[in-house]
PDB file of all heavy atoms in Angstrom:
ATOM      1  N   TYR B 143      99.221  88.056  55.542  1.00 96.00           N
ATOM      2  CA  TYR B 143      98.147  87.585  54.709  1.00 96.00           C
ATOM      3  C   TYR B 143      97.039  88.669  54.654  1.00 96.00           C
ATOM      4  O   TYR B 143      96.630  89.050  55.727  1.00 96.00           O
ATOM      5  CB  TYR B 143      97.600  86.188  55.272  1.00 96.00           C
ATOM      6  CG  TYR B 143      98.572  85.185  55.299  1.00 96.00           C
ATOM      7  CD1 TYR B 143      99.392  84.883  56.357  1.00 96.00           C
ATOM      8  CD2 TYR B 143      98.889  84.332  54.179  1.00 96.00           C
ATOM      9  CE1 TYR B 143     100.340  83.855  56.429  1.00 96.00           C
ATOM     10  CE2 TYR B 143      99.851  83.314  54.161  1.00 96.00           C
ATOM     11  CZ  TYR B 143     100.638  83.225  55.328  1.00 96.00           C
ATOM     12  OH  TYR B 143     101.580  82.186  55.301  1.00 96.00           O
ATOM     13  N   ARG B 145      93.195  89.771  53.283  1.00 96.00           N
ATOM     14  CA  ARG B 145      91.875  89.344  52.575  1.00 96.00           C
ATOM     15  C   ARG B 145      91.656  90.464  51.690  1.00 96.00           C
ATOM     16  O   ARG B 145      90.816  91.504  51.810  1.00 96.00           O
ATOM     17  CB  ARG B 145      90.731  89.278  53.640  1.00 96.00           C
ATOM     18  CG  ARG B 145      90.653  88.023  54.480  1.00 96.00           C
ATOM     19  CD  ARG B 145      90.377  86.798  53.578  1.00 96.00           C
ATOM     20  NE  ARG B 145      88.963  86.883  53.014  1.00 96.00           N
ATOM     21  CZ  ARG B 145      87.985  86.404  53.573  1.00 96.00           C
ATOM     22  NH1 ARG B 145      87.968  85.876  54.786  1.00 96.00           N
ATOM     23  NH2 ARG B 145      86.772  86.565  52.921  1.00 96.00           N
ATOM     24  N   ALA B 251      89.999  79.774  61.866  1.00 91.00           N
ATOM     25  CA  ALA B 251      90.984  80.651  61.454  1.00 91.00           C
ATOM     26  C   ALA B 251      90.525  82.042  61.326  1.00 91.00           C
ATOM     27  O   ALA B 251      89.393  82.358  60.866  1.00 91.00           O
ATOM     28  CB  ALA B 251      91.390  80.245  59.972  1.00 91.00           C
ATOM     29  N   ALA B 252      91.334  83.019  62.021  1.00 93.00           N
ATOM     30  CA  ALA B 252      90.961  84.377  62.050  1.00 93.00           C
ATOM     31  C   ALA B 252      90.708  85.068  60.720  1.00 93.00           C
ATOM     32  O   ALA B 252      89.822  85.789  60.518  1.00 93.00           O
ATOM     33  CB  ALA B 252      91.955  85.170  62.866  1.00 93.00           C
ATOM     34  N   ILE B 253      91.528  84.675  59.677  1.00 94.00           N
ATOM     35  CA  ILE B 253      91.424  85.266  58.454  1.00 94.00           C
ATOM     36  C   ILE B 253      90.121  84.904  57.770  1.00 94.00           C
ATOM     37  O   ILE B 253      89.699  85.546  56.823  1.00 94.00           O
ATOM     38  CB  ILE B 253      92.655  84.959  57.549  1.00 94.00           C
ATOM     39  CG1 ILE B 253      92.792  85.927  56.480  1.00 94.00           C
ATOM     40  CG2 ILE B 253      92.678  83.493  56.960  1.00 94.00           C
ATOM     41  CD1 ILE B 253      94.093  86.150  55.848  1.00 94.00           C
ATOM     42  N   ALA B 254      89.565  83.762  58.116  1.00 95.00           N
ATOM     43  CA  ALA B 254      88.333  83.408  57.533  1.00 95.00           C
ATOM     44  C   ALA B 254      87.119  83.941  58.195  1.00 95.00           C
ATOM     45  O   ALA B 254      85.944  83.723  57.772  1.00 95.00           O
ATOM     46  CB  ALA B 254      88.218  81.853  57.410  1.00 95.00           C
ATOM     47  N   SER B 255      87.317  84.631  59.339  1.00 93.00           N
ATOM     48  CA  SER B 255      86.192  85.072  60.118  1.00 93.00           C
ATOM     49  C   SER B 255      85.460  86.222  59.461  1.00 93.00           C
ATOM     50  O   SER B 255      84.257  86.475  59.627  1.00 93.00           O
ATOM     51  CB  SER B 255      86.662  85.565  61.474  1.00 93.00           C
ATOM     52  OG  SER B 255      87.421  86.739  61.297  1.00 93.00           O
ATOM     53  N   TRP B 263     100.234  84.992  60.630  1.00 89.00           N
ATOM     54  CA  TRP B 263      99.860  83.697  61.314  1.00 89.00           C
ATOM     55  C   TRP B 263     100.933  82.593  60.807  1.00 89.00           C
ATOM     56  O   TRP B 263     101.497  82.758  59.642  1.00 89.00           O
ATOM     57  CB  TRP B 263      98.431  83.193  60.883  1.00 89.00           C
ATOM     58  CG  TRP B 263      97.453  84.193  61.385  1.00 89.00           C
ATOM     59  CD1 TRP B 263      96.895  84.169  62.689  1.00 89.00           C
ATOM     60  CD2 TRP B 263      96.661  85.190  60.703  1.00 89.00           C
ATOM     61  NE1 TRP B 263      95.954  85.175  62.773  1.00 89.00           N
ATOM     62  CE2 TRP B 263      95.757  85.752  61.594  1.00 89.00           C
ATOM     63  CE3 TRP B 263      96.685  85.614  59.299  1.00 89.00           C
ATOM     64  CZ2 TRP B 263      94.799  86.783  61.167  1.00 89.00           C
ATOM     65  CZ3 TRP B 263      95.873  86.601  58.844  1.00 89.00           C
ATOM     66  CH2 TRP B 263      95.010  87.141  59.851  1.00 89.00           C
ATOM     67  N   LEU B 268      96.020  78.840  59.737  1.00 89.00           N
ATOM     68  CA  LEU B 268      95.345  79.260  58.529  1.00 89.00           C
ATOM     69  C   LEU B 268      94.458  78.093  58.015  1.00 89.00           C
ATOM     70  O   LEU B 268      94.766  76.917  58.354  1.00 89.00           O
ATOM     71  CB  LEU B 268      96.425  79.671  57.583  1.00 89.00           C
ATOM     72  CG  LEU B 268      97.138  80.961  57.937  1.00 89.00           C
ATOM     73  CD1 LEU B 268      98.400  81.111  57.094  1.00 89.00           C
ATOM     74  CD2 LEU B 268      96.218  82.214  57.706  1.00 89.00           C
ATOM     75  N   PRO B 269      93.533  78.418  57.081  1.00 91.00           N
ATOM     76  CA  PRO B 269      92.785  77.360  56.435  1.00 91.00           C
ATOM     77  C   PRO B 269      93.637  76.481  55.650  1.00 91.00           C
ATOM     78  O   PRO B 269      94.795  76.852  55.203  1.00 91.00           O
ATOM     79  CB  PRO B 269      91.719  78.060  55.610  1.00 91.00           C
ATOM     80  CG  PRO B 269      91.748  79.463  56.101  1.00 91.00           C
ATOM     81  CD  PRO B 269      93.168  79.736  56.647  1.00 91.00           C
ATOM     82  N   ILE B 275      89.070  79.804  49.921  1.00 95.00           N
ATOM     83  CA  ILE B 275      89.350  81.164  50.484  1.00 95.00           C
ATOM     84  C   ILE B 275      90.716  81.697  50.030  1.00 95.00           C
ATOM     85  O   ILE B 275      90.935  82.904  49.969  1.00 95.00           O
ATOM     86  CB  ILE B 275      89.221  81.167  51.964  1.00 95.00           C
ATOM     87  CG1 ILE B 275      88.929  82.572  52.505  1.00 95.00           C
ATOM     88  CG2 ILE B 275      90.413  80.551  52.605  1.00 95.00           C
ATOM     89  CD1 ILE B 275      88.621  82.707  53.939  1.00 95.00           C
ATOM     90  N   ILE B 279      93.028  85.545  49.094  1.00 96.00           N
ATOM     91  CA  ILE B 279      94.204  86.005  50.112  1.00 96.00           C
ATOM     92  C   ILE B 279      95.435  86.403  49.339  1.00 96.00           C
ATOM     93  O   ILE B 279      95.913  85.599  48.427  1.00 96.00           O
ATOM     94  CB  ILE B 279      94.480  84.784  51.047  1.00 96.00           C
ATOM     95  CG1 ILE B 279      93.280  84.578  51.911  1.00 96.00           C
ATOM     96  CG2 ILE B 279      95.724  85.122  51.946  1.00 96.00           C
ATOM     97  CD1 ILE B 279      93.438  83.383  52.874  1.00 96.00           C
TER      98      ILE B 279
END
Side-chain angles (χ1 to χ4, degrees):
Chain B
Y143 299 92
R145 279 294 296 271
I253 199 158
S255 67
W263 294 281
L268 292 161
I275 199 173
I279 294 175

